[in-house]
């Protein structure tokens, strides 16, 4: 990879029949835990299928993009420089965002669930884009 500041992890999908002989480790041993000093982060993108995304409090100078299919997105207080994008299908989205409600322009779409965010709010210097299908959205704005 040409950009030595990018970490990419992809699951293997080209399995042979011999890869399926034997037992699987327990679910708690099939987790990926990644620790990165947040002082190094400009942008963060995480995506997963059939698993949850859980983030502790985190600050980035640019944007955060989180996407999960068949899992929840849960986070501590996220502090973003310009944009936060959250997408879930068949899971809930919940957590705190550093700043006030007025700091963000908001685009929110929900199908088959409940949300505490408005569908559309134009004013705000930072962007918050949230969509969920078959799950709830519960996001709080916090001042630190």
């Amino acid at each position: 990879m040409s950009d030595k500041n990018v970490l990419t992890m992809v699951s293997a999908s080209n399995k042979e029949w011999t890869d399926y002989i034997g037992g699987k480790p327990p679910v708690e041993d099939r987790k990926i835990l990644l620790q990165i000093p947040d002082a190094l982060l400009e942008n963060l993108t995480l995506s997963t299928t059939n698993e949850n995304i859980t983030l502790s409090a985190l600050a980035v100078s640019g944007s955060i993009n989180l996407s999960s299919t068949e899992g929840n997105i849960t986070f501590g207080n996220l502090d973003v420089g310009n944009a936060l994008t959250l997408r879930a299908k068949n899971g809930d989205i919940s957590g705190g965002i550093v700043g006030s409600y007025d700091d963000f322009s908001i685009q929110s779409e929900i199908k088959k669930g409940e949300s505490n965010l408005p569908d559309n709010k134009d004013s705000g210097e930072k962007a918050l884009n949230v969509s969920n299908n078959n799950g709830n959205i519960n996001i709080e704005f916090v001042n630190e």
Side-chain angles (χ1 to χ4, degrees), residues 28-92:
E28 62 271 5
D29 293 335
R30 290 185 267 157
K31 304 287 183 208
I32 297 172
L33 301 175
L34 180 62
Q35 295 181 349
I36 300 171
D38 62 358
L40 301 176
L41 289 177
E42 180 178 345
N43 299 306
L44 175 66
T45 300
L46 295 173
S47 178
T48 187
T49 301
N50 295 325
E51 290 295 337
N52 297 327
I53 294 176
T54 305
L55 287 178
S56 345
L58 180 68
V60 299
S61 60
S63 64
I64 296 176
N65 185 337
L66 305 176
S67 175
S68 179
T69 301
E70 304 292 334
N72 297 324
I73 298 174
T74 307
F75 47 91
N77 295 341
L78 298 181
D79 188 357
V80 296
N82 56 32
L84 175 59
T85 302
L86 305 165
R87 307 258 182 262
K89 183 174 182 182
N90 298 326
D92 295 332

Side-chain angles (χ1 to χ4, degrees), residues 69-135:
T69 301
E70 304 292 334
N72 297 324
I73 298 174
T74 307
F75 47 91
N77 295 341
L78 298 181
D79 188 357
V80 296
N82 56 32
L84 175 59
T85 302
L86 305 165
R87 307 258 182 262
K89 183 174 182 182
N90 298 326
D92 295 332
I93 299 173
S94 62
I97 299 174
V98 175
S100 74
Y101 176 81
D102 293 329
D103 292 338
F104 289 86
S105 65
I106 299 171
Q107 300 295 317
S108 176
E109 179 182 7
I110 190 157
K111 299 176 185 173
K112 298 181 186 175
E114 295 181 9
S115 175
N116 68 333
L117 296 176
D119 294 341
N120 187 17
K121 177 182 149 318
D122 290 330
S123 63
E125 293 181 18
K126 300 178 184 183
L128 173 59
N129 296 303
V130 184
S131 70
N132 199 347
N133 185 358
N134 204 24

